[in-house]
């Protein structure tokens, strides 16, 4: 009888401890609808105006304290590049971006994997790059050259936008 009482008390105590323990909040999926309109430098010798949209969804992941730790964005990006009176329209493409947040809530990494950029150039060739890049490591909010993978001829892209 003492063993049954001891086991029951132990079980109740364990359940109470587990019930009081923090568990991570469930992931939160929301629609993604971002307008892109910015000027970027560093791709060519001149600035490029980038305009377009990202549509799809994002999923936020939280730790046991409810702190946002990771965000997955998946969708389709459609952009145009304009410079020197020239405009190039990139092919719409699916993207996956994984954003990692640090303990203070600051973004530590923003990884894009897969097709990075694809656009038909006026001479009939295609500029295409694919691989993996980290926007935070590159210190930019728009990039076309992956750190790992392969990139097309940036010079040809810049020539097409040079006017």
């Amino acid at each position: 009888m003492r063993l049954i009482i001891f086991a029951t008390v132990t079980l109740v105590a364990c359940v109470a401890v587990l019930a009081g323990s923090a568990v991570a909040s469930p992931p939160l999926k929301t629609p993604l609808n971002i307008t892109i309109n910015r000027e970027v430098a560093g791709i060519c010798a001149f600035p490029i105006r980038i305009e377009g949209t990202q549509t799809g969804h994002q999923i936020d992941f939280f730790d046991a304290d409810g702190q946002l730790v990771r965000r997955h964005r998946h969708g389709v990006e459609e952009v145009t590049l304009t410079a020197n009176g020239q405009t190039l329209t990139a092919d719409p493409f699916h993207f996956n971006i994984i954003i990692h947040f640090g303990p203070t809530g600051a973004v530590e990494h923003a990884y894009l994997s897969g097709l990075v950029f694809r656009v038909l150039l006026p001479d009939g060739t295609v500029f295409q790059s694919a691989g993996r890049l980290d926007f935070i490591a590159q210190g930019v909010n728009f990039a076309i050259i992956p750190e790992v993978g392969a990139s097309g001829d940036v010079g040809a892209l810049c020539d097409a936008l040079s006017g």
Side-chain angles (χ1 to χ4, degrees):
M1 182 67 159
R2 285 186 199 181
L3 183 58
I4 292 173
I5 293 171
F6 177 75
T8 303
V9 169
T10 302
L11 179 62
V12 169
C14 288
V15 168
V17 168
L18 290 175
S21 297
V23 292
S25 299
L28 176 64
K29 183 176 180 179
T30 57
L32 180 67
N33 189 1
I34 296 174
T35 299
I36 303 165
N37 187 0
R38 64 180 62 107
E39 189 169 277
V40 297
I43 296 173
C44 300
F46 46 84
I48 301 171
R49 168 67 50 193
I50 309 295
E51 295 177 306
T53 60
Q54 287 182 344
T55 55
H57 67 269
Q58 68 182 25
I59 303 172
D60 290 340
F61 296 88
F62 305 90
D63 65 13
D65 296 324
Q67 178 81 25
L68 179 62
V69 293
R70 193 174 68 246
R71 173 175 288 153
H72 290 195
R73 286 184 172 166
H74 175 74
V76 175
E77 182 171 286
E78 298 182 51
V79 294
T80 59
L81 289 73
T82 305
N84 304 307
Q86 305 298 314
T87 299
L88 298 175
T89 301
D91 294 341
F93 65 93
H94 289 270
F95 66 88
N96 289 295
I97 299 175
I98 300 175
I99 303 167
H100 294 269
F101 296 88
T104 65
V107 176
E108 292 184 340
H109 298 284
Y111 297 111
L112 171 69
S113 298
L115 181 63
V116 174
F117 198 73
R118 179 175 165 39
V119 63
L120 179 65
L121 301 178
D123 66 3
T125 62
V126 174
F127 174 89
Q128 178 172 302
S129 62
R132 179 178 175 190
L133 66 88
D134 182 352
F135 293 102
I136 303 305
Q138 288 194 22
V140 297
N141 57 19
F142 184 85
I144 60 170
I145 302 170
E147 289 127 352
V148 177
S151 176
D153 183 356
V154 178
L157 177 71
C158 293
D159 286 348
L161 289 169
S162 67

